[in-house]
Coordinates of all heavy atoms in Angstrom, one line a residue:
Chain A
L78 N -43.0 -46.7 -11.9 CA -43.8 -47.2 -13.0 C -45.0 -46.4 -13.4 O -45.3 -46.2 -14.5 CB -44.3 -48.6 -12.6 CG -43.5 -49.8 -13.0 CD1 -44.4 -51.1 -12.7 CD2 -43.0 -49.8 -14.4
S79 N -45.7 -45.9 -12.3 CA -46.9 -45.1 -12.6 C -46.6 -43.7 -12.8 O -45.7 -43.1 -12.3 CB -47.9 -45.3 -11.5 OG -47.3 -44.7 -10.3
A80 N -47.5 -43.0 -13.6 CA -47.4 -41.6 -13.8 C -48.4 -41.0 -12.9 O -49.6 -40.9 -13.2 CB -47.6 -41.2 -15.3
G81 N -48.0 -40.6 -11.7 CA -49.0 -40.0 -10.7 C -50.0 -41.0 -10.4 O -49.7 -42.1 -10.0
D82 N -51.3 -40.7 -10.5 CA -52.3 -41.7 -10.2 C -52.7 -42.7 -11.3 O -53.5 -43.6 -11.1 CB -53.6 -40.9 -9.8 CG -53.5 -40.2 -8.5 OD1 -52.6 -40.6 -7.7 OD2 -54.2 -39.2 -8.3
D83 N -52.0 -42.5 -12.5 CA -52.3 -43.4 -13.6 C -51.4 -44.6 -13.4 O -50.2 -44.5 -13.7 CB -52.0 -42.7 -14.9 CG -53.0 -41.6 -15.2 OD1 -54.2 -41.8 -14.7 OD2 -52.7 -40.7 -15.9
W84 N -52.0 -45.7 -13.0 CA -51.2 -46.9 -12.8 C -50.7 -47.4 -14.1 O -51.4 -47.3 -15.1 CB -52.0 -47.9 -12.0 CG -52.1 -47.6 -10.6 CD1 -51.8 -46.5 -10.0 CD2 -52.7 -48.5 -9.6 NE1 -52.1 -46.5 -8.6 CE2 -52.6 -47.8 -8.4 CE3 -53.2 -49.8 -9.6 CZ2 -53.0 -48.4 -7.2 CZ3 -53.6 -50.3 -8.4 CH2 -53.5 -49.6 -7.2
H85 N -49.5 -48.1 -14.0 CA -49.1 -48.9 -15.1 C -50.1 -50.0 -15.4 O -50.6 -50.6 -14.4 CB -47.7 -49.4 -14.8 CG -47.0 -50.1 -16.0 ND1 -47.3 -51.4 -16.4 CD2 -46.0 -49.7 -16.8 CE1 -46.6 -51.7 -17.4 NE2 -45.8 -50.7 -17.7
P86 N -50.3 -50.4 -16.6 CA -51.3 -51.5 -16.8 C -51.0 -52.8 -16.1 O -52.0 -53.5 -15.7 CB -51.2 -51.8 -18.4 CG -50.6 -50.5 -18.9 CD -49.8 -49.8 -17.8
V87 N -49.7 -53.1 -15.8 CA -49.4 -54.3 -15.1 C -49.9 -54.1 -13.6 O -50.4 -55.1 -13.0 CB -47.9 -54.7 -15.2 CG1 -47.6 -55.9 -14.3 CG2 -47.5 -54.9 -16.6
Q88 N -49.7 -52.9 -13.1 CA -50.2 -52.7 -11.7 C -51.7 -52.8 -11.6 O -52.3 -53.4 -10.8 CB -49.7 -51.3 -11.2 CG -48.2 -51.2 -11.0 CD -47.8 -49.7 -10.7 OE1 -48.1 -48.8 -11.5 NE2 -47.1 -49.5 -9.6
A89 N -52.3 -52.2 -12.6 CA -53.8 -52.2 -12.7 C -54.3 -53.7 -12.8 O -55.3 -54.1 -12.1 CB -54.3 -51.4 -13.8
A90 N -53.6 -54.5 -13.6 CA -54.0 -55.8 -13.8 C -53.9 -56.7 -12.5 O -54.7 -57.5 -12.2 CB -53.2 -56.5 -14.9
F91 N -52.8 -56.5 -11.8 CA -52.6 -57.2 -10.5 C -53.7 -56.9 -9.5 O -54.2 -57.7 -8.8 CB -51.2 -56.9 -9.9 CG -50.1 -57.9 -10.4 CD1 -49.7 -57.8 -11.7 CD2 -49.6 -58.8 -9.5 CE1 -48.7 -58.7 -12.1 CE2 -48.6 -59.7 -9.9 CZ -48.1 -59.6 -11.2
K92 N -54.2 -55.6 -9.5 CA -55.3 -55.2 -8.7 C -56.6 -55.9 -9.2 O -57.3 -56.6 -8.4 CB -55.5 -53.7 -8.7 CG -56.7 -53.2 -7.9 CD -56.7 -51.7 -7.8 CE -57.9 -51.3 -7.0 NZ -59.0 -50.7 -7.8
E93 N -56.8 -55.8 -10.4 CA -58.1 -56.3 -11.0 C -58.2 -57.8 -10.8 O -59.3 -58.3 -10.5 CB -58.1 -55.9 -12.5 CG -59.4 -56.4 -13.3 CD -60.6 -55.7 -12.7 OE1 -60.5 -54.6 -12.2 OE2 -61.7 -56.4 -12.8
C94 N -57.1 -58.5 -11.0 CA -57.2 -60.0 -11.0 C -56.8 -60.6 -9.7 O -56.6 -61.8 -9.5 CB -56.3 -60.6 -12.1 SG -56.7 -60.0 -13.7
H95 N -56.6 -59.7 -8.7 CA -56.2 -60.2 -7.3 C -54.9 -61.0 -7.4 O -54.9 -62.1 -6.9 CB -57.4 -61.0 -6.7 CG -57.3 -61.2 -5.2 ND1 -57.5 -60.1 -4.4 CD2 -57.0 -62.2 -4.5 CE1 -57.4 -60.5 -3.1 NE2 -57.0 -61.8 -3.1
G96 N -53.9 -60.4 -8.1 CA -52.7 -61.1 -8.3 C -51.7 -61.1 -7.1 O -50.5 -61.3 -7.3
L97 N -52.3 -60.8 -5.9 CA -51.4 -60.7 -4.7 C -52.2 -61.1 -3.5 O -53.4 -60.9 -3.4 CB -50.7 -59.4 -4.5 CG -51.7 -58.2 -4.4 CD1 -51.0 -57.2 -3.4 CD2 -51.9 -57.5 -5.7
Q98 N -51.5 -61.6 -2.5 CA -52.1 -61.7 -1.2 C -51.4 -60.9 -0.1 O -51.8 -59.8 0.1 CB -52.2 -63.2 -0.8 CG -53.3 -63.9 -1.7 CD -53.4 -65.4 -1.4 OE1 -53.1 -65.9 -0.3 NE2 -53.8 -66.1 -2.4
C99 N -50.2 -61.4 0.4 CA -49.5 -60.6 1.3 C -48.8 -59.4 0.6 O -48.5 -58.4 1.2 CB -48.5 -61.4 2.1 SG -46.9 -61.7 1.2
G100 N -48.5 -59.6 -0.7 CA -47.9 -58.5 -1.4 C -46.4 -58.4 -1.4 O -45.8 -57.5 -2.1
Y101 N -45.8 -59.3 -0.7 CA -44.3 -59.1 -0.5 C -43.6 -59.4 -1.9 O -42.6 -58.6 -2.2 CB -43.7 -60.1 0.5 CG -42.4 -59.6 1.0 CD1 -42.3 -58.6 2.0 CD2 -41.2 -60.0 0.5 CE1 -41.1 -58.1 2.5 CE2 -40.0 -59.5 0.9 CZ -40.0 -58.5 1.9 OH -38.8 -58.1 2.3
C102 N -44.0 -60.3 -2.6 CA -43.4 -60.6 -3.9 C -43.8 -59.7 -5.0 O -43.2 -59.7 -6.1 CB -43.7 -62.0 -4.3 SG -45.5 -62.2 -4.8
T103 N -44.8 -58.9 -4.8 CA -45.5 -58.1 -5.8 C -44.6 -57.1 -6.6 O -44.6 -57.1 -7.8 CB -46.8 -57.4 -5.3 OG1 -47.5 -58.4 -4.5 CG2 -47.6 -56.9 -6.4
P104 N -43.8 -56.3 -5.8 CA -43.0 -55.4 -6.6 C -42.1 -56.1 -7.6 O -41.9 -55.6 -8.8 CB -42.1 -54.7 -5.5 CG -42.8 -54.9 -4.2 CD -43.6 -56.2 -4.4
G105 N -41.5 -57.2 -7.2 CA -40.7 -58.0 -8.1 C -41.4 -58.6 -9.2 O -41.0 -58.6 -10.4
M106 N -42.6 -59.2 -8.9 CA -43.5 -59.8 -9.9 C -43.9 -58.8 -11.0 O -43.8 -59.1 -12.2 CB -44.8 -60.3 -9.3 CG -44.6 -61.6 -8.5 SD -44.3 -63.0 -9.6 CE -44.1 -64.3 -8.3
V107 N -44.3 -57.6 -10.5 CA -44.7 -56.6 -11.5 C -43.5 -56.2 -12.4 O -43.7 -56.1 -13.6 CB -45.3 -55.4 -10.7 CG1 -45.5 -54.2 -11.7 CG2 -46.6 -55.8 -10.0
M108 N -42.4 -56.0 -11.8 CA -41.2 -55.6 -12.6 C -40.9 -56.7 -13.6 O -40.5 -56.4 -14.8 CB -40.0 -55.2 -11.8 CG -40.2 -54.0 -10.9 SD -41.1 -52.6 -11.6 CE -39.8 -51.9 -12.6
S109 N -40.9 -57.9 -13.2 CA -40.6 -59.0 -14.1 C -41.6 -59.1 -15.2 O -41.3 -59.4 -16.4 CB -40.5 -60.3 -13.4 OG -39.3 -60.5 -12.7
A110 N -42.9 -58.9 -14.8 CA -44.0 -58.9 -15.9 C -43.8 -57.8 -16.9 O -44.0 -58.0 -18.1 CB -45.3 -58.9 -15.2
V111 N -43.4 -56.6 -16.4 CA -43.2 -55.5 -17.3 C -42.0 -55.9 -18.3 O -42.1 -55.7 -19.5 CB -42.8 -54.2 -16.5 CG1 -42.3 -53.1 -17.4 CG2 -44.0 -53.7 -15.7
D112 N -41.0 -56.5 -17.7 CA -39.8 -56.9 -18.6 C -40.3 -57.9 -19.6 O -39.9 -57.8 -20.8 CB -38.7 -57.4 -17.7 CG -37.5 -57.9 -18.4 OD1 -36.8 -57.0 -18.9 OD2 -37.3 -59.1 -18.6
L113 N -41.0 -58.9 -19.2 CA -41.5 -60.0 -20.1 C -42.3 -59.4 -21.2 O -42.1 -59.7 -22.4 CB -42.2 -61.0 -19.3 CG -42.9 -62.1 -20.1 CD1 -41.9 -63.0 -20.8 CD2 -43.9 -63.0 -19.3
L114 N -43.3 -58.6 -20.8 CA -44.3 -58.0 -21.8 C -43.6 -57.1 -22.8 O -44.0 -57.0 -24.0 CB -45.4 -57.3 -21.1 CG -46.4 -58.3 -20.3 CD1 -47.4 -57.5 -19.5 CD2 -47.1 -59.3 -21.3
A115 N -42.5 -56.5 -22.4 CA -41.7 -55.6 -23.3 C -41.1 -56.5 -24.4 O -41.0 -56.0 -25.6 CB -40.7 -54.8 -22.6
E116 N -40.7 -57.7 -24.1 CA -40.1 -58.5 -25.1 C -41.2 -59.4 -25.8 O -41.0 -59.7 -27.0 CB -39.1 -59.5 -24.4 CG -38.4 -60.4 -25.3 CD -37.3 -61.2 -24.6 OE1 -36.4 -60.6 -24.1 OE2 -37.5 -62.4 -24.5
N117 N -42.2 -59.8 -25.1 CA -43.2 -60.7 -25.7 C -44.6 -60.1 -25.3 O -45.1 -60.5 -24.2 CB -43.0 -62.1 -25.1 CG -44.0 -63.1 -25.7 OD1 -44.9 -62.7 -26.4 ND2 -43.8 -64.3 -25.3
P118 N -45.2 -59.3 -26.1 CA -46.4 -58.6 -25.7 C -47.6 -59.5 -25.6 O -48.6 -59.2 -25.0 CB -46.7 -57.6 -26.8 CG -45.4 -57.6 -27.7 CD -44.7 -58.9 -27.4
N119 N -47.5 -60.7 -26.1 CA -48.6 -61.6 -26.1 C -48.2 -63.0 -25.7 O -48.3 -64.0 -26.5 CB -49.2 -61.7 -27.6 CG -50.7 -61.9 -27.6 OD1 -51.2 -62.1 -26.5 ND2 -51.3 -61.7 -28.7
P120 N -47.8 -63.2 -24.5 CA -47.2 -64.5 -24.0 C -48.3 -65.5 -23.8 O -49.4 -65.2 -23.3 CB -46.5 -64.1 -22.7 CG -47.2 -62.9 -22.2 CD -47.7 -62.2 -23.4
T121 N -48.0 -66.8 -24.0 CA -48.9 -67.9 -23.6 C -48.7 -68.1 -22.2 O -47.8 -67.6 -21.5 CB -48.4 -69.2 -24.3 OG1 -47.1 -69.5 -23.9 CG2 -48.4 -69.1 -25.9
E122 N -49.6 -69.0 -21.6 CA -49.5 -69.2 -20.2 C -48.1 -69.8 -19.8 O -47.5 -69.4 -18.8 CB -50.6 -70.2 -19.7 CG -50.5 -70.5 -18.2 CD -51.5 -71.5 -17.7 OE1 -52.6 -71.6 -18.2 OE2 -51.2 -72.0 -16.6
D123 N -47.7 -70.8 -20.7 CA -46.3 -71.4 -20.4 C -45.2 -70.3 -20.4 O -44.3 -70.3 -19.6 CB -46.0 -72.4 -21.5 CG -46.7 -73.8 -21.1 OD1 -47.3 -73.8 -20.0 OD2 -46.7 -74.6 -22.0
E124 N -45.3 -69.4 -21.4 CA -44.3 -68.3 -21.5 C -44.3 -67.4 -20.3 O -43.3 -66.9 -19.9 CB -44.5 -67.6 -22.8 CG -44.0 -68.4 -24.0 CD -44.5 -67.7 -25.4 OE1 -45.4 -66.9 -25.4 OE2 -43.9 -68.1 -26.4
I125 N -45.5 -67.2 -19.8 CA -45.6 -66.3 -18.6 C -45.0 -67.1 -17.4 O -44.2 -66.5 -16.7 CB -47.1 -66.0 -18.2 CG1 -47.7 -65.1 -19.3 CG2 -47.2 -65.4 -16.9 CD1 -49.2 -64.9 -19.3
R126 N -45.4 -68.3 -17.2 CA -44.8 -69.1 -16.1 C -43.3 -69.2 -16.2 O -42.5 -69.0 -15.2 CB -45.4 -70.5 -16.0 CG -46.8 -70.4 -15.5 CD -47.5 -71.8 -15.4 NE -48.9 -71.7 -15.0 CZ -49.3 -71.6 -13.7 NH1 -48.4 -71.5 -12.7 NH2 -50.6 -71.5 -13.5
D127 N -42.8 -69.4 -17.4 CA -41.3 -69.4 -17.6 C -40.7 -68.1 -17.4 O -39.6 -67.9 -16.8 CB -41.0 -70.0 -19.0 CG -39.6 -70.2 -19.2 OD1 -39.0 -70.9 -18.4 OD2 -39.0 -69.7 -20.2
G128 N -41.4 -67.0 -17.9 CA -40.9 -65.7 -17.8 C -40.8 -65.2 -16.3 O -40.0 -64.3 -16.0
L129 N -41.6 -65.7 -15.5 CA -41.6 -65.3 -14.1 C -40.9 -66.3 -13.2 O -41.0 -66.3 -12.0 CB -43.1 -65.1 -13.6 CG -43.9 -64.1 -14.2 CD1 -45.3 -64.0 -13.6 CD2 -43.2 -62.7 -14.2
H130 N -40.1 -67.2 -13.8 CA -39.4 -68.2 -13.1 C -38.5 -67.7 -12.0 O -38.3 -68.4 -11.0 CB -38.6 -69.0 -14.2 CG -38.0 -70.2 -13.7 ND1 -38.4 -71.5 -14.1 CD2 -37.0 -70.5 -12.7 CE1 -37.7 -72.4 -13.5 NE2 -36.9 -71.9 -12.6
G131 N -38.0 -66.5 -12.2 CA -37.1 -65.9 -11.2 C -37.8 -65.2 -10.1 O -37.1 -64.5 -9.3
N132 N -39.1 -65.4 -9.9 CA -39.8 -64.7 -8.9 C -40.7 -65.7 -8.1 O -41.5 -66.4 -8.7 CB -40.8 -63.6 -9.5 CG -40.0 -62.5 -10.2 OD1 -39.5 -62.7 -11.3 ND2 -39.9 -61.4 -9.5
L133 N -40.4 -65.8 -6.8 CA -41.2 -66.7 -6.0 C -42.3 -66.0 -5.2 O -42.1 -64.9 -4.7 CB -40.2 -67.4 -5.0 CG -39.0 -68.1 -5.6 CD1 -38.2 -68.8 -4.5 CD2 -39.4 -69.2 -6.6
C134 N -43.4 -66.7 -5.1 CA -44.5 -66.2 -4.3 C -44.9 -67.3 -3.4 O -45.2 -68.5 -3.8 CB -45.7 -65.9 -5.2 SG -47.2 -65.4 -4.3
R135 N -45.1 -67.0 -2.1 CA -45.4 -68.0 -1.1 C -46.9 -68.1 -0.8 O -47.3 -68.9 0.0 CB -44.6 -67.8 0.2 CG -43.1 -67.7 -0.1 CD -42.3 -68.2 1.0 NE -42.4 -69.6 1.2 CZ -41.8 -70.3 2.1 NH1 -41.0 -69.7 3.0 NH2 -41.9 -71.6 2.3
C136 N -47.7 -67.1 -1.4 CA -49.1 -67.1 -1.0 C -50.0 -67.5 -2.1 O -50.9 -68.3 -1.9 CB -49.5 -65.6 -0.7 SG -48.5 -64.8 0.6
T137 N -49.9 -67.0 -3.3 CA -51.0 -67.1 -4.3 C -51.0 -68.5 -5.0 O -52.1 -68.7 -5.6 CB -50.8 -66.1 -5.4 OG1 -49.6 -66.3 -6.1 CG2 -50.7 -64.7 -4.8
G138 N -50.0 -69.2 -5.1 CA -50.0 -70.4 -5.9 C -49.9 -70.0 -7.4 O -50.1 -70.8 -8.3

Side-chain angles (χ1 to χ4, degrees):
Chain A
L78 271 191
S79 65
D82 290 338
D83 290 334
W84 284 11
H85 187 283
V87 176
Q88 292 174 304
F91 271 69
K92 174 172 181 254
E93 181 63 31
C94 302
H95 200 69
L97 59 146
Q98 287 179 28
C99 81
Y101 201 82
C102 69
T103 315
M106 283 290 176
V107 169
M108 297 315 286
S109 278
V111 169
D112 178 74
L113 172 67
L114 292 172
E116 183 176 294
N117 180 355
N119 214 349
T121 62
E122 179 180 338
D123 281 350
E124 286 168 343
I125 293 170
R126 288 183 184 275
D127 188 52
L129 298 180
H130 192 110
N132 295 77
L133 303 182
C134 175
R135 306 209 69 178
C136 303
T137 64

